Amino acid sequence: MSPSVALQEMIRAIRSARTQCEERGVIQRECAAIRAQFRQTDNGGRSHNLAKLLYVHMLGYPAHFGQMECVRMIASPRYSEKRVGYLGAMMLLDEKQDASLLITNSIKNDLSHSNQYVQSLALCTLACMGSAEMCRDLAPEIDRLLRSSNSYIKKKAALCAVHIVRKVRDLGELFVPSARSLLSEKNHGVLHGAVVLITELCGRSPETLERFRKTVPDLVQIMKGLVISGYSPDHDVAGVSDPFLQVRILRLLRILGRNNEAASDAMNDLLAQVATNTDSTKTVGNAVLYETVLTVLDIKSESGLRVLAVNILGRFLLNNDRNIRYIAMTSLQKIVGTDHNAVQRHRGTIVDCLKDQDASVKRRALELSLALVSASNIRSMMKELLIFLSSCPPDLRAQAASGIFNAAERYAPSKRWHIDTILHVLTTAGGDVRDETVPNLIQLITNTSELHCYTVHKLYRALLTDISQQPLVQVACWCIGEYGDLLLKGECQETEAVQATEDDVLDALEIVLQSHMSTPTTRGFALTATMKLSTRITDNVDRIRSIVSIYGSCIDVELQQRAVEYNALFKKYDHMRAAVLERMPVIQKNSLGQTNGEVSEETIKETQPGKVKQEEAAQPQQPAGQVVDLLDLLGGSQEPLAPSSLISITSSAPITATGSAGGDLLDLLGGLEPTPLTPAPAMTVYDKNGVTLTISCEQQSDSGLTVMLTASNSTDSDISSFTLQAAVPKSVQLQMKAPSRDSLPAKGAAKLTQLVVLNNPNKVNLKMRIRVSYTSLGSVVQDTVQVDSFPGISAAGL
Amino acid sequence: MPLRFLLLFSRQGKLRLQKWFVATSEREKKKVIRDMMLLVMPRQPRTCNFLQWKDLKIVYKRYASLYFCAGLEEQDNELLALELLHRYVELLDKYFGNVCELDIIFNFEKAYFILDEFLMSGEISETSKFAVNASMEQADTLQETMEEYMNKPAY
């Protein structure tokens, strides 16, 4: 057969292929030739073939047929073949391949080879792809090599031991004595390996960490030697003597000094010396300084040293090199929680970094700036952050917007400022804000009654300029609907008033309704707002009627339903219209920034178009949302609720379902008190037709509660098939145990008890709806009762 | 510092060297390579050399037409990683004499051997500049036989 070309010829041939197809052709031919060659016996060119295969593999083509060849080459006595064989093993074999086990024996033999380069090949391969079994098999060999007299082998054995310890934790014990003795070596390579091995051992097991604490003086000594020593051409990098070793020792000192006074004291001098003596003009010096700073901040260092460290970070911030500024900000981020004031001093520089061109630097600066916002600097910081928001890259927008909201919520100096800030964010980055921004803002607005006029004027103006940002449009529509009368009055103290006629306002809303940019949600807002205006304006009620009736045949089901109901409101219930559409009550302020995440699942409910019941005294009701919640749990086959008046007003403010879920802050505080475990007194929740139901509760744990339901019958006739069903809010878990009996004899002869176990991990306000059903005197009776407060639970508890 | 991987790729997106220091599946390797290229190649010249990718820190440096890209773990020192990449380039330069991308393409196995002398288990195994090259020379002498000598092209 034709001899295949040598390695470099093949590479040249592949590179000169002009198309992918041509390249594939060349490679296929070569692979075929290589496969044929592998099948033949030894012909001296084996290493070339394997090398060719490895090149092809690097280009991305399959090369698994070379695995057995690797195994054979490794077993060959020739060094050149071993070399390529081991390289092939590292590239083609990994722990999942069966062939990897076959080389264990070869590695074992090579570890005891007379030539150190062969030994090093074996060590290197084991460290690269050694599986757990291989490591276990060969660990004693490695330990023996750690004690050899050859530094070349020792340093490699140390790093191989590192790999073994990473793979099989228990083998760490084996290497502890040798690691300890390696620290007295002079050879930098061996020292480095030893330090890495000790770091790895300490990281895996706290007992070993304790034992190695005794080495701190030795490490300090070595480090001092490095720092003070003169120029050594072998290890010097730009004036710093062996920075790699220095950094590793510093890292080990950090681990050893953490949470330990004695060890930290021993290092103080050294760290101060390194921090002051290291030349910081080049990257390498800064690398050592960086590691020193990290160490100082992590151990129990004295305060002078800490100040020095933070100052070094401050100096880094002013450095021209972007890399250094980046890592300075990363480190400051880590300590902003503990050394807040120290970091505050550098706030100006950090804020300047927001304007940097580089995306990585910007990201770090944003995170750090958000962490530095406090009550005293909120105004200036917010100005900077808003400027940043208008020019920031799109992937950072969402983070910036939510950070700004959090900061504004926590530190807003005045309500007006708060509203202004939120409006500003909505106009600049409206598309990237989270969903609960709209209800939060609406809640904020309703809470600030003195600013209603100001807000509605501002929003109206914003609406006229731009209707593309959906959250802004939604809030604007809602406000115009609610406070339309204030808008039309045309006067406002806080800001320049907009002179708008009723037609203008209705025009604006109609534009929103008809625009292609508006989402269905937004149009829902707009339609409701239009409807609300019907009670707040005088002249154009007919126009409103016509708008509303047009949407009665809209394709979107939500809009259609709303329109039809509003039509009904005009036609049949006109007398109630004013009452139905009057001002919303102030929404409970209950969610804090931090708890936004967990509260949102139960709070955000899109508005449900309600059914206007005939005999209702129309009153907008807050608990509407909660009831919907509990209804969901009772399932579809329930009859409509007993005649409690419920209209969920089709207002566009999604009401937080669980009324005061943000007693959450109180919960956090309340949870610290020991909850009383004494059984609580019983409370009667239902008493009708002679059937009484009482409940008593016992708090079992932080979130667990057992409720005992007791029923008794005081009538003259027996009651049979007595059942109880219970429903609780969504995040609460319920488990009902079997009742003690299922009938209630007359005149309270016996009571029925049933145990209910509740688990309330989210600590929501606990409510329970209980349905009672029984047969008495031949007829089935069903009744429902809601329990809003449970006896025996502290208000700050569950 | 435990490196997770070290990649060399050209500005046209061709991989020239890949070294993985943790066990990774083939699919995972391909994905990482693709992601690194997408992250690193569009970067502007004078920007920061550090990136965040998933839970790893990525340090990259461009030398002539090659990108050297290393993946580090959370607690590692990025500045030192830059020094490490620079040291590797210096070693290659010393060995090949004014190294360029072609040297690494045509002698990729040598580049790997140098890397294995310099790094092991994701850590530096030899901190001395001269020792690595000395070992390479000695190992090469072991390897030099008549047939290798004959097969080496003179260019």
Side-chain angles (χ1 to χ4, degrees):
Chain A
M1 59 167 293
S2 62
S4 62
V5 297
L7 170 63
Q8 292 178 342
E9 306 268 332
M10 181 191 85
I11 297 178
R12 217 171 271 130
I14 293 176
R15 279 168 60 80
S16 57
R18 257 160 303 180
T19 62
Q20 186 79 335
C21 191
E22 217 178 304
E23 180 182 297
R24 265 201 296 272
V26 174
I27 288 180
Q28 265 175 357
R29 267 199 320 275
E30 284 301 324
C31 283
I34 292 170
R35 271 196 293 263
Q37 297 265 357
F38 283 171
R39 278 194 289 268
Q40 286 183 352
T41 49
D42 185 4
N43 59 0
R46 274 173 32 176
S47 54
H48 289 296
N49 288 325
L50 189 56
K52 277 190 241 174
L53 185 60
L54 293 177
Y55 183 80
V56 164
H57 171 76
M58 191 151 65
L59 289 177
Y61 295 89
H64 41 268
F65 56 87
Q67 288 173 7
M68 286 314 292
E69 186 66 14
C70 290
V71 175
R72 256 175 271 141
M73 300 262 288
I74 288 174
S76 144
R78 287 215 199 99
Y79 179 69
S80 57
E81 292 183 356
K82 269 200 207 287
R83 222 180 183 190
V84 183
Y86 274 118
L87 179 64
M90 285 194 270
M91 284 177 75
L92 299 177
L93 294 175
D94 57 29
E95 359 185 273
K96 297 197 189 64
Q97 313 290 346
D98 300 327
S100 63
L101 292 171
L102 297 172
I103 64 175
T104 314
N105 210 26
S106 302
I107 294 183
K108 194 172 194 159
N109 291 337
D110 284 336
L111 282 175
S112 339
H113 202 275
S114 49
N115 188 315
Q116 64 177 13
Y117 295 105
V118 175
Q119 284 177 305
S120 96
L121 282 178
L123 283 169
C124 200
T125 309
L126 182 61
C128 180
M129 44 74 73
S131 65
E133 292 83 37
M134 287 166 75
C135 290
R136 256 188 263 268
D137 279 339
L138 298 168
E141 269 299 305
I142 307 296
D143 192 45
R144 187 180 62 79
L145 288 174
L146 273 177
R147 285 180 238 271
S148 92
S149 50
N150 184 337
S151 350
Y152 181 79
I153 292 300
K154 264 194 283 204
K155 74 179 187 226
K156 297 212 176 229
L159 289 176
C160 194
V162 169
H163 175 86
I164 292 179
V165 169
R166 282 191 195 140
K167 274 282 181 218
V168 183
R169 206 171 143 160
D170 313 320
L171 288 171
E173 270 307 309
L174 181 60
F175 297 118
V176 170
S178 345
R180 181 77 187 79
S181 59
L182 283 177
L183 270 185
S184 38
E185 291 282 327
K186 291 279 173 280
N187 181 310
H188 281 226
V190 180
L191 263 180
H192 187 274
V195 171
V196 174
L197 179 56
I198 294 175
T199 315
E200 197 65 40
L201 289 170
C202 291
R204 305 270 153 181
S205 134
E207 301 87 46
T208 327
L209 181 68
E210 285 302 323
R211 280 155 70 181
F212 275 111
R213 279 235 173 82
K214 300 188 214 94
T215 61
V216 170
D218 298 322
L219 292 167
V220 170
Q221 207 56 32
I222 299 173
M223 194 65 190
K224 271 210 175 86
L226 284 173
V227 174
I228 308 175
S229 75
Y231 175 77
S232 134
D234 210 12
H235 300 286
D236 178 272
V237 180
V240 180
S241 181
D242 208 344
F244 303 107
L245 183 57
Q246 285 195 28
V247 167
R248 280 318 252 170
I249 294 181
L250 284 169
R251 176 98 63 85
L252 180 56
L253 286 175
R254 181 154 91 229
I255 296 176
L256 293 175
R258 205 177 270 158
N259 292 331
N260 186 298
E261 288 283 346
S264 310
D265 282 336
M267 310 174 201
N268 269 323
D269 284 339
L270 170 71
L271 293 171
Q273 194 173 21
V274 175
T276 36
N277 283 359
T278 312
D279 174 23
S280 63
T281 46
K282 295 281 178 66
T283 310
V284 63
N286 285 325
V288 176
L289 275 177
Y290 177 47
E291 196 71 29
T292 317
V293 166
L294 287 179
T295 304
V296 166
L297 293 174
D298 215 10
I299 63 173
K300 290 195 182 305
S301 50
E302 53 185 28
S303 59
L305 202 50
R306 281 186 96 86
V307 168
L308 180 60
V310 178
N311 284 346
I312 293 180
L313 286 180
R315 244 181 27 230
F316 277 0
L317 271 180
L318 297 166
N319 196 311
N320 281 331
D321 189 345
R322 282 210 176 87
N323 293 338
I324 302 201
R325 267 186 277 164
Y326 179 89
I327 57 155
M329 285 196 276
T330 320
S331 329
L332 286 173
Q333 184 86 29
K334 292 194 193 122
I335 61 167
V336 76
T338 45
D339 294 83
H340 193 91
N341 293 332
V343 184
Q344 279 283 1
R345 258 183 280 136
H346 302 287
R347 192 164 47 88
T349 331
I350 295 171
V351 166
D352 280 335
C353 288
L354 278 173
K355 306 190 187 90
D356 197 301
Q357 301 288 344
D358 186 309
S360 316
V361 172
K362 271 200 179 122
R363 178 186 295 273
R364 286 279 180 252
L366 174 65
E367 285 168 9
L368 202 47
S369 307
L370 288 174
L372 283 179
V373 174
S374 75
S376 45
N377 58 29
I378 178 76
R379 280 191 198 264
S380 46
M381 284 296 278
M382 196 51 79
K383 230 185 294 188
E384 294 290 339
L385 285 170
L386 289 173
I387 296 174
F388 173 70
L389 187 65
S390 45
S391 60
C392 84
D395 47 334
L396 287 180
R397 269 220 194 106
Q399 192 184 355
S402 58
I404 290 176
F405 284 147
N406 277 339
E409 200 160 334
R410 266 184 276 160
Y411 302 111
S414 74
K415 297 266 188 179
R416 176 173 157 173
W417 182 92
H418 194 172
I419 290 180
D420 275 343
T421 313
I422 298 189
L423 286 181
H424 194 136
V425 174
L426 286 179
T427 33
T428 29
D432 298 297
V433 298
R434 282 193 317 219
D435 293 329
E436 55 264 21
T437 316
V438 172
N440 283 347
L441 179 56
I442 290 178
Q443 183 192 84
L444 181 63
I445 292 175
T446 53
N447 274 327
T448 344
S449 46
E450 64 274 16
L451 288 175
H452 285 165
C453 192
Y454 167 76
T455 318
V456 74
H457 278 266
K458 265 202 105 154
L459 282 170
Y460 179 70
R461 235 189 241 113
L463 190 67
L464 287 179
T465 1
D466 173 26
I467 59 167
S468 61
Q469 306 278 29
Q470 297 303 303
L472 183 65
V473 174
Q474 288 171 7
V475 176
C477 288
W478 190 90
C479 282
I480 293 174
E482 272 297 300
Y483 310 120
D485 46 338
L486 292 175
L487 179 63
L488 292 166
K489 249 197 306 198
E491 54 185 45
C492 180
Q493 296 148 319
E494 317 265 339
T495 181
E496 185 193 310
V498 173
Q499 302 300 332
T501 65
E502 297 178 359
D503 271 321
D504 293 334
V505 176
L506 287 174
D507 280 339
L509 287 174
E510 240 188 316
I511 292 176
V512 172
L513 269 173
Q514 291 163 352
S515 162
H516 291 295
M517 290 191 277
S518 305
T519 61
T521 326
T522 315
R523 293 164 91 192
F525 271 84
L527 190 60
T528 311
T530 316
M531 187 60 193
K532 283 195 205 165
L533 281 179
S534 72
T535 46
R536 288 158 176 72
I537 62 179
T538 44
D539 296 331
N540 289 7
V541 184
D542 286 329
R543 182 171 170 190
I544 295 182
R545 277 186 84 139
S546 59
I547 296 177
V548 165
S549 51
I550 289 174
Y551 281 90
S553 47
C554 173
I555 288 186
D556 184 75
V557 178
E558 168 81 19
L559 280 180
Q560 187 186 72
Q561 182 166 15
R562 287 186 193 214
V564 166
E565 287 166 9
Y566 293 151
N567 256 334
L569 200 55
F570 269 122
K571 294 206 184 91
K572 287 202 277 184
Y573 304 106
D574 209 35
H575 52 283
M576 289 199 298
R577 190 160 47 91
V580 169
L581 297 175
E582 70 182 14
R583 281 260 206 283
M584 292 286 296
V586 172
I587 303 174
Q588 290 285 329
K589 182 150 179 78
N590 53 22
S591 59
L592 296 181
Q594 286 111 334
T595 59
N596 250 344
E598 52 175 33
V599 165
S600 59
E601 26 171 344
E602 41 222 12
T603 56
I604 305 313
K605 285 207 157 311
E606 191 33 72
T607 59
Q608 315 270 352
K611 314 234 179 293
V612 179
K613 291 226 171 61
Q614 283 251 335
E615 59 273 26
E616 297 324 327
Q619 272 170 43
Q621 273 244 1
Q622 236 192 40
Q626 299 169 18
V627 174
V628 175
D629 215 6
L630 294 177
L631 270 181
D632 288 350
L633 284 165
L634 288 174
S637 61
Q638 308 294 323
E639 5 180 285
L641 280 186
S644 50
S645 64
L646 296 173
I647 308 175
S648 54
I649 294 300
T650 56
S651 88
S652 3
I655 303 166
T656 54
T658 55
S660 51
D664 275 352
L665 185 59
L666 289 177
D667 289 346
L668 291 174
L669 295 176
L672 294 175
E673 304 151 23
T675 48
L677 290 175
T678 55
M683 182 176 95
T684 308
V685 296
Y686 177 79
D687 191 352
K688 223 182 197 184
N689 302 333
V691 176
T692 339
L693 184 66
T694 60
I695 66 170
S696 74
C697 322
E698 195 171 24
Q699 188 125 12
Q700 298 297 345
S701 69
D702 205 19
S703 64
L705 176 75
T706 51
V707 176
M708 179 76 79
L709 303 166
T710 316
S712 69
N713 170 16
S714 57
T715 63
D716 290 343
S717 48
D718 289 355
I719 283 176
S720 59
S721 332
F722 188 97
T723 52
L724 291 167
Q725 290 167 307
V728 288
K730 274 206 177 91
S731 63
V732 181
Q733 291 140 19
L734 172 98
Q735 196 188 7
M736 288 191 91
K737 307 285 183 192
S740 59
R741 47 188 302 136
D742 70 340
S743 63
L744 284 175
K747 297 200 186 38
K751 287 195 200 293
L752 179 153
T753 55
Q754 187 162 14
L755 194 66
V756 179
V757 179
L758 297 173
N759 187 21
N760 186 3
N762 291 349
K763 298 213 194 306
V764 303
N765 213 10
L766 195 61
K767 297 178 195 298
M768 191 190 291
R769 178 165 292 209
I770 306 176
R771 169 186 282 201
V772 174
S773 88
Y774 56 88
T775 311
S776 170
L777 298 173
S779 58
V780 176
V781 180
Q782 267 189 350
D783 213 343
T784 328
V785 63
Q786 174 151 340
V787 183
D788 288 313
S789 65
F790 288 78
I793 305 180
S794 59
L798 271 190
Chain B
M1 67 219 70
L3 261 66
R4 289 273 182 96
F5 56 82
L6 179 65
L7 302 174
L8 263 70
F9 47 88
S10 74
R11 297 203 54 208
Q12 282 77 39
K14 290 245 195 252
L15 190 67
R16 297 297 176 209
L17 191 145
Q18 55 175 326
K19 186 77 184 177
W20 303 88
F21 297 105
V22 286
T24 340
S25 69
E26 278 297 325
R27 271 190 62 206
E28 186 64 31
K29 282 185 197 174
K30 284 197 168 45
K31 182 167 185 307
V32 173
I33 294 171
R34 201 176 51 237
D35 284 346
M36 287 304 112
M37 291 192 187
L38 286 174
L39 270 182
V40 168
M41 289 203 287
R43 297 277 285 181
Q44 300 296 326
R46 262 179 299 282
T47 52
C48 187
N49 290 98
F50 310 133
L51 297 166
Q52 189 75 23
W53 179 77
K54 294 194 186 171
D55 63 329
L56 294 181
K57 300 188 199 186
I58 307 294
V59 177
Y60 77 93
K61 191 107 198 273
R62 191 179 137 210
Y63 287 92
S65 56
L66 272 182
Y67 283 105
F68 285 67
C69 176
L72 310 172
E73 295 186 356
E74 260 314 304
Q75 69 270 37
D76 288 335
N77 187 328
E78 298 101 313
L79 291 175
L80 203 71
L82 272 182
E83 285 303 311
L84 186 149
L85 292 176
H86 191 73
R87 173 62 70 87
Y88 182 49
V89 173
E90 280 178 351
L91 290 172
L92 288 172
D93 196 44
K94 203 75 189 297
Y95 184 80
F96 287 109
N98 232 350
V99 68
C100 64
E101 192 183 341
L102 281 178
D103 289 320
I104 301 185
I105 295 173
F106 281 95
N107 298 294
F108 70 96
E109 80 275 18
K110 298 280 194 325
Y112 272 105
F113 295 150
I114 297 177
L115 188 62
D116 287 333
E117 274 299 317
F118 176 49
L119 296 176
M120 211 163 96
S121 300
E123 310 275 357
I124 295 185
S125 90
E126 181 53 66
T127 55
S128 150
K129 283 188 266 194
F130 308 136
V132 177
N133 286 111
S135 314
M136 279 299 291
E137 273 174 41
Q138 292 202 338
D140 285 344
T141 353
L142 261 189
Q143 184 174 310
E144 201 91 48
T145 63
M146 221 33 197
E147 62 182 319
E148 257 95 15
Y149 185 74
M150 295 302 287
N151 281 338
K152 254 209 190 69
Y155 77 99

